Amino acid sequence: MKRIIIISILILLILTISCSHIEDVTVPNGGVVITLDDHHFINWCQVDSLLKKYNWKASFCVSLIGSRSDLDIQRMHKLYEIGHEISGHGYMHVHSVLYAATYGMEKYIEDEITPMMDYFDAESLNVKSFSYPYGSRSNFTDNELLDYFDILRATSDGVRTAEKSKCYFDGSPIVYALGLDDYFYHSCEEYFINLLTYAHEEDKIIIFYGHKPIETVTGKYQVSFQTLDMICKYAYDNNMNFYTLSDLADMIE
Ligand SMILES: [Zn+2]
């Protein structure tokens, strides 16, 4: 009898866990999210003029908004008005887990989130997503930040095959983007095309991130125009839609 009760409880537990599993989100032909970090407004506008032929859209994840020039603020508005997303990337661009552990979560929100959102509000920008600086996140920071944002972007490493990579949207409000910057050891056209092909064939949405788009890469935290062009061209040629982080948030049930 005791055995039957234990087995019944186990079956119930398994059923509960499988019912609460987040359903994968699929879209016809798959999709692409491109996120670009920090505050490279001049380069972002340059790359927009190169990629608009593919009807691309991106999420620009803005850090240090309080110290940008008037011209940068104008460029930000221009990007927003033509349909790109402005995403939060920290008022000070701190390591969230470390900062919250050192000074407390309340102080982290007070220093890193509130002034940033006040700035965006004053500029009438509707900011619904946050991209973690350095990809630094924990369940604790996720839980806190989901009070302020609809979706949070962390980072994924590039050691996995497409099937095992975390850089596909699975319906969760925490997403993991794969780096496109040239200095990453996984950065090569063949790997990116492999992952894109998987997204296309499996109707999945792949999420990328990079920093400063530039014609010729000269250092770390730079993504070449060529890489971005190759990704957008693949998406365009294969009828894959572009999405922003907040578009993903709208798909979460
Ligand atoms: Zn950053």
Side-chain angles (χ1 to χ4, degrees), residues 209-228:
Y209 81 102
H211 291 87
K212 184 179 188 177
I214 197 160
E215 177 145 21
T216 307
V217 169
T218 55
K220 270 178 126 183
Y221 308 112
Q222 297 178 354
V223 51
S224 71
F225 287 166
Q226 196 190 330
T227 299
L228 290 169

Side-chain angles (χ1 to χ4, degrees), residues 36-40 61-63 89 93 131-135 153 209-211 221:
L36 293 171
D37 289 5
D38 299 340
H39 40 262
H40 306 290
C61 310
V62 178
S63 59
H89 190 46
H93 194 268
S131 301
Y132 280 111
Y134 317 103
R153 195 215 74 199
Y209 81 102
H211 291 87
Y221 308 112

Side-chain angles (χ1 to χ4, degrees), residues 148-159:
Y148 297 84
F149 305 98
D150 295 341
I151 190 161
L152 306 172
R153 195 215 74 199
T155 54
S156 162
D157 59 47
V159 296

